[in-house]
Amino acid sequence: MNIILFGPPGAGKGTQAKRLVSQRGWVQLSTGDMLRDARKAGTELGNKVAAIMDRGDLVSDEIVIALIDERLPEAEAAGGAIFDGFPRTVPQAESLDHLLDGRGSQIDRVVRLAVDEKELIKRVEKRAAEEGRADDTVEAFKVRLKAYNDQTAPLIPFYTGQNKLVEVDGMGAMDEISARIARALDA
Ligand code: AMP
């Protein structure tokens, strides 16, 4: 099964993706994690994206599509992919459909985690204190939220049109949210 965990920055996509990995044995494909790994490793790609990420802007579609393409065989072998933070633009979503189609596969469900803006800010502040991510500052968060609203939110009608979108309440205790996601996936 291939699913997308969808939602604004701070919605809990990464946390819930990790839980699904341990519960179901699927592979988490987080382009944000892949880009942060490239930066830590000091690769050419890592250096190229550093300033863009710290600002809170999106890196180019080509970069993230190539990262995802590389990891699809691994997810296929595991029996499922959890896309986390990808796709973030309509061209990325179209490319993903195309890549999966070429492998005789598809996106089965898009789980939209609904969290109100006040709660998002609270979570990002908490993460800033715990992880020290450069893009968890107030300024960068504003840019990321704007990128979400302008470039990523159009995926809601895109996946609604494909009949794949399910909305899950992303507020409350982590275990409760996990249980809601499980129900949405098993329905
Ligand atoms: P995330 O950890 O998913 O919040 O991603 C952190 C940052 O990495 C984003 O703010 C972007 O700069 C970049 N990034 C991650 N995924 C994507 C994507 N699918 N498209 C464009 N930029 C991305």
Side-chain angles (χ1 to χ4, degrees):
M1 190 171 191
N2 296 313
I3 69 156
I4 296 171
L5 284 183
F6 185 85
K13 303 184 293 291
T15 305
Q16 294 298 335
K18 289 193 176 66
R19 289 181 161 217
L20 284 169
V21 168
S22 58
Q23 288 161 0
R24 307 203 178 210
W26 298 339
V27 170
Q28 176 188 10
L29 297 179
S30 157
T31 41
D33 284 350
M34 293 175 207
L35 292 167
R36 277 184 290 277
D37 286 346
R39 291 180 62 176
K40 263 187 230 143
T43 64
E44 195 180 322
L45 169 70
N47 296 333
K48 190 169 155 188
V49 298
I52 303 170
M53 288 176 75
D54 289 351
R55 242 185 0 249
D57 281 325
L58 296 185
V59 309
S60 77
D61 290 337
E62 292 70 32
I63 288 176
V64 286
I65 291 163
L67 288 172
I68 288 291
D69 189 21
E70 243 174 65
R71 300 281 302 276
L72 287 179
E74 186 194 327
E76 214 169 82
I82 308 150
F83 295 94
D84 156 18
F86 179 93
R88 258 177 159 99
T89 64
V90 171
Q92 288 179 25
E94 287 168 345
S95 295
L96 180 60
D97 278 351
H98 185 73
L99 286 174
L100 291 173
D101 192 47
R103 310 181 71 89
S105 184
Q106 58 168 29
I107 290 295
D108 298 294
R109 216 149 294 177
V110 181
V111 177
R112 177 186 176 195
L113 289 173
V115 177
D116 69 40
E117 213 165 288
K118 255 200 206 149
E119 174 69 16
L120 292 178
I121 294 167
K122 251 185 22 205
R123 289 186 191 179
V124 168
E125 278 172 355
K126 185 165 171 271
R127 188 167 66 191
E130 286 169 0
E131 297 176 24
R133 266 176 61 169
D135 59 349
D136 277 340
T137 62
V138 175
E139 272 318 301
F141 183 73
K142 273 190 206 154
V143 179
R144 288 161 69 205
L145 205 54
K146 185 170 171 9
Y148 172 80
N149 287 323
D150 294 351
Q151 292 170 270
T152 308
L155 293 178
I156 297 169
F158 180 88
Y159 286 117
T160 302
Q162 292 191 357
N163 242 329
K164 291 179 179 167
L165 198 82
V166 273
E167 184 164 318
V168 165
D169 180 3
M171 303 280 289
M174 253 190 252
D175 286 347
E176 274 170 36
I177 302 167
S178 301
R180 288 178 204 136
I181 293 174
R183 280 197 295 273
L185 294 180
D186 298 333

